[in-house]
Amino acid sequence: MASDDVANLADSIAKTQVDEGELSYKGQGLKLDNAQSVEKMVRAIQEFDGLRALRLEGNTIGVEAAQTIAKALEKKSDLQCCHWSDMFTGRLRAEIPPALVSLGDALIMAGARLKVLDLSDNAFGPDGVKGIEKLLKSATCHTLQELRLNNCGMGIGGGKILAAALTVCHKESSALGAPLQLKVFIAGRNRLENDGATALAQAFQLIGSLEEVHMPQNGINYQGVTALATAMQHNPQLRVLNLNDNTFTKRGAIAMAQALKHLRNVQVINFGDCLVRSEGASAISETLREGLPILKELNLSFGEITKDAALEVARSVQHKDQLEILDLNGIITHTNRKKHRIIVRIYLQTSKQSAKRNSFSCHSDDEGEPEEDEDEEEDDDDDYEDVEEEEEEEGEKTLKCTLIKPVDLCVFSQVDVLDASKTAEAFLKISSVYKEDDAEVKAAVLESIDAVLSKAFLTPSFQGLSFMSSLLVMLGLLKSEDKLKPVKVVPGHLQCLEHAVKQSYFPREHVTVLNAFMARPSKSLEPCSGARDRLKSTLQKLTPES
């Protein structure tokens, strides 16, 4: 090899990531139109012994360039992973199928055995699926474990072609004694609709090895959902099922609930924006009570679920030791004869889990979907900033607060009381929504407060002094020596604290500590002067004279 060639190859490799059999041009924004434009890439491929993964995503590749790259791949029998998403930006749709055919034929000729094929974000439509049809049917894909086709615009036609190709792949690989063991299937945002989803469901039922299925935003109605539900029953190792933003309705949700009864390994269910409705939520609740023992995440948000149905869901998961996230945003309720949508996000915490955020807000649904709350993604120390009702135009109301009523008993009863600071945080979150003039809210909040604090103080290993220190820091009464930050104090914090100090579970020595700090001037408590004065009076009565 000439010295100039060596220098050019060294320069190409220097700009390319090479990692244990992987050659990566990921995200370099290369515009590769012809053979000349890929000379360095081709040389790097040819010189790479034991090439197992090729990353071309984030570039744009024309037909001639693809054909040239394909020529270099014809001898790469070790190739297992093709990360080829987003590599046709700006290309005509007609250019994509022949480019894919060239690359696929090269892999077949090389005798490669693929494990991962990622062609997401290429918007190639049904014709693009035809471009990989031969590849998917070939022995090269008999070993395929992950197929990622997110946001490709396949449509119904593409879905049917894909399903047929996977079926052939499974049948032919089975005939050779090593059936296709596809584990991950991703095809969101493809407008598969009922017919496409049903065709794929038939293939899934045959394959039977799926562990993750992601098919959000595909316009699938209950007929397609029901077909998918039947298919999922035949995939016992299923761990993740994401059908977000399709339309289950009651019939689809009930069918899916029945299917989930047969699955023991599911960890993540995302049926958000799926219109499961209250009847569907109730059916899912029944499944939750009977099965899904290792579930970690459940999303039923914006499904036109009533408050009662949401509470049924919450109660059905309260004994799920591994559950981390229960998302019930978009609950429908009725207040003052007006229909409202309550946005609820519940994050559960157990002794083995880090603290998760609990937030709750209520938006009028009279004018359609609520807008995104820009504060939703803020840090936890901002959780208490907007807890009062605010009058809006035309009598609409917005309420931002922590979730209350019986659901809290499911959530906060799982607070890790061995973590004193998290216990203090939970106390403040619950008490932030206390309302003296709302008997139902008041009772629910105080019941939750008692459940958390009594459990904490009656636990022998609970660090009571650490709890008091954290609480005083968060109330702005004590300077922090760690990462704890004060919250915006609202009357509910002090009113609930006044209730707690009068209970038998609250240690008298902590009452004395509180009394000492409350006697000091504090700017953080000035906006709550009435509640502050009542708490001070109660503390003084409870503190023994020295």
Side-chain angles (χ1 to χ4, degrees):
M1 185 181 292
S3 59
D4 287 346
D5 291 337
V6 173
N8 289 336
L9 180 57
D11 179 64
S12 176
I13 293 176
K15 295 178 181 179
T16 303
Q17 300 176 18
V18 181
D19 182 24
E20 295 186 3
E22 177 181 286
L23 183 61
S24 176
Y25 294 88
K26 179 180 179 180
Q28 293 189 16
L30 302 175
K31 191 173 187 298
L32 307 172
D33 296 322
N34 49 41
Q36 184 177 0
S37 66
V38 294
E39 282 182 355
K40 292 181 179 180
M41 180 184 293
V42 165
R43 191 173 301 166
I45 292 172
Q46 291 171 337
E47 296 294 326
F48 199 122
D49 292 332
L51 179 64
R52 293 196 298 274
L54 179 61
R55 308 195 75 106
L56 298 177
E57 65 262 56
N59 300 288
T60 177
I61 300 174
V63 175
E64 184 181 335
Q67 291 170 341
T68 308
I69 294 170
K71 199 70 178 175
L73 292 175
E74 289 178 356
K75 297 181 180 180
K76 296 300 171 182
S77 60
D78 294 328
L79 191 62
Q80 298 177 353
C81 304
C82 297
H83 300 282
W84 295 347
S85 64
D86 188 24
M87 67 175 191
F88 296 114
T89 301
R91 300 292 171 182
L92 296 175
R93 180 171 288 189
E95 294 182 78
I96 301 176
L100 291 173
V101 168
S102 298
L103 293 168
D105 286 349
L107 297 176
I108 295 170
M109 182 176 293
R113 293 294 182 265
L114 292 186
K115 290 184 177 179
V116 178
L117 178 60
D118 185 356
L119 290 167
S120 298
D121 301 315
N122 279 313
F124 46 51
D127 291 339
V129 184
K130 291 179 182 178
I132 59 172
E133 183 179 11
K134 180 181 176 182
L135 173 63
L136 290 173
K137 291 179 178 179
S138 73
T140 294
C141 285
H142 286 184
T143 52
L144 194 63
Q145 295 180 9
E146 299 184 17
L147 179 58
R148 301 172 181 266
L149 297 169
N150 200 59
N151 191 31
C152 288
M154 290 189 289
I156 295 172
K160 289 182 175 181
I161 296 169
L162 177 60
L166 290 174
T167 300
V168 170
C169 183
H170 183 270
K171 288 182 177 179
E172 293 189 356
S173 60
S174 297
L176 296 173
L180 172 67
Q181 293 289 304
L182 187 65
K183 295 180 180 180
V184 178
F185 179 84
I186 300 176
R189 301 183 64 185
N190 272 290
R191 297 304 305 177
L192 295 169
E193 301 184 13
N194 288 332
D195 289 346
T198 299
L200 284 167
Q202 293 170 354
F204 295 162
Q205 184 168 333
L206 182 66
I207 292 169
S209 58
L210 288 167
E211 296 180 10
E212 295 187 27
V213 175
H214 301 262
M215 297 174 65
Q217 293 183 325
N218 270 296
I220 306 171
N221 295 327
Y222 80 88
Q223 297 95 329
V225 171
T226 300
L228 288 170
T230 300
M232 293 306 105
Q233 295 182 49
H234 296 270
N235 288 266
Q237 300 306 313
L238 187 70
R239 294 183 297 104
V240 179
L241 181 57
N242 176 9
L243 296 176
N244 186 282
D245 200 9
N246 291 291
T247 307
F248 283 40
T249 65
K250 176 180 70 176
R251 285 178 285 187
I254 291 174
M256 192 61 73
Q258 291 298 316
L260 290 170
K261 289 182 178 180
H262 300 273
L263 302 172
R264 305 288 295 175
N265 295 300
V266 176
Q267 298 178 18
V268 178
I269 297 173
N270 186 345
F271 296 160
D273 286 293
C274 283
L275 207 66
V276 298
R277 299 210 166 111
S278 297
E279 297 91 336
S282 295
I284 292 170
S285 297
E286 180 182 344
T287 297
L288 289 166
R289 285 190 293 270
E290 297 176 0
L292 300 174
I294 60 172
L295 187 67
K296 292 183 177 180
E297 298 182 18
L298 173 62
N299 183 351
L300 297 179
S301 60
F302 297 100
E304 288 201 359
I305 300 172
T306 63
K307 179 177 65 176
D308 289 342
L311 292 176
E312 185 179 356
V313 173
R315 293 188 185 103
S316 70
V317 300
Q318 61 182 317
H319 300 301
K320 300 288 184 189
D321 293 338
Q322 298 188 42
L323 190 66
E324 297 174 359
I325 298 176
L326 171 59
D327 192 339
L328 295 173
N329 283 337
I331 293 172
I332 298 296
T333 188
H334 293 270
T335 304
N336 296 330
R337 298 182 181 178
K338 286 187 177 181
K339 185 179 180 182
H340 288 71
R341 186 180 297 275
I342 299 178
I343 299 180
V344 183
R345 204 173 271 154
I346 312 171
Y347 294 88
L348 303 182
Q349 174 187 331
T350 68
S351 59
K352 295 182 180 179
Q353 298 161 350
S354 60
K356 301 292 184 179
R357 181 175 175 184
N358 298 271
S359 63
F360 170 88
S361 58
C362 175
H363 297 263
S364 171
D365 195 43
D366 295 342
E367 298 299 327
E369 293 292 327
E371 295 181 355
E372 292 281 335
D373 188 347
E374 294 179 357
D375 293 332
E376 285 270 311
E377 303 300 326
E378 295 296 325
D379 293 335
D380 282 354
D381 41 271
D382 293 330
D383 280 354
Y384 311 100
E385 289 190 355
D386 296 297
V387 296
E388 69 277 7
E389 283 190 353
E390 298 173 352
E391 291 292 333
E392 297 186 352
E393 292 183 5
E394 298 180 359
E396 296 178 0
K397 293 183 179 180
T398 297
L399 175 66
K400 302 177 184 177
C401 57
T402 305
L403 180 63
I404 58 172
K405 302 189 188 303
V407 176
D408 283 311
L409 301 180
C410 302
V411 178
F412 291 106
S413 64
Q414 298 189 50
V415 170
D416 180 9
V417 296
L418 297 180
D419 190 328
S421 64
K422 296 305 178 186
T423 304
E425 182 181 355
F427 168 81
L428 292 174
K429 285 187 174 182
I430 303 171
S431 60
S432 67
V433 295
Y434 179 89
K435 287 188 176 296
E436 185 69 33
D437 57 354
D438 188 324
E440 186 179 4
V441 172
K442 178 179 177 180
V445 170
L446 294 182
E447 185 179 357
S448 295
I449 291 293
D450 289 340
V452 172
L453 294 188
S454 62
K455 179 181 179 182
F457 285 120
L458 294 176
T459 299
S461 56
F462 180 65
Q463 299 295 318
L465 289 177
S466 295
F467 167 80
M468 290 301 301
S469 296
S470 299
L471 184 63
L472 291 169
V473 168
M474 293 180 189
L475 290 174
L477 301 176
L478 181 66
K479 290 185 178 180
S480 175
E481 296 180 357
D482 50 32
K483 295 182 179 180
L484 288 176
K485 295 181 181 180
V487 301
K488 181 178 179 180
V489 181
V490 296
H493 291 144
L494 306 183
Q495 290 166 327
C496 289
L497 192 53
E498 181 186 2
H499 165 82
V501 298
K502 293 187 288 187
Q503 306 309 308
S504 59
Y505 58 71
F506 203 95
R508 295 302 95 183
E509 61 269 24
H510 295 347
V511 172
T512 303
V513 172
L514 264 178
N515 185 46
F517 277 91
M518 290 299 298
R520 300 177 182 178
S522 173
K523 290 185 178 180
S524 66
L525 303 185
E526 287 179 358
C528 312
S529 57
R532 177 199 62 191
D533 292 343
R534 288 191 295 274
L535 174 58
K536 287 174 64 176
S537 175
T538 298
L539 290 169
Q540 289 170 1
K541 292 177 182 178
L542 294 173
T543 303
E545 296 182 4
S546 56

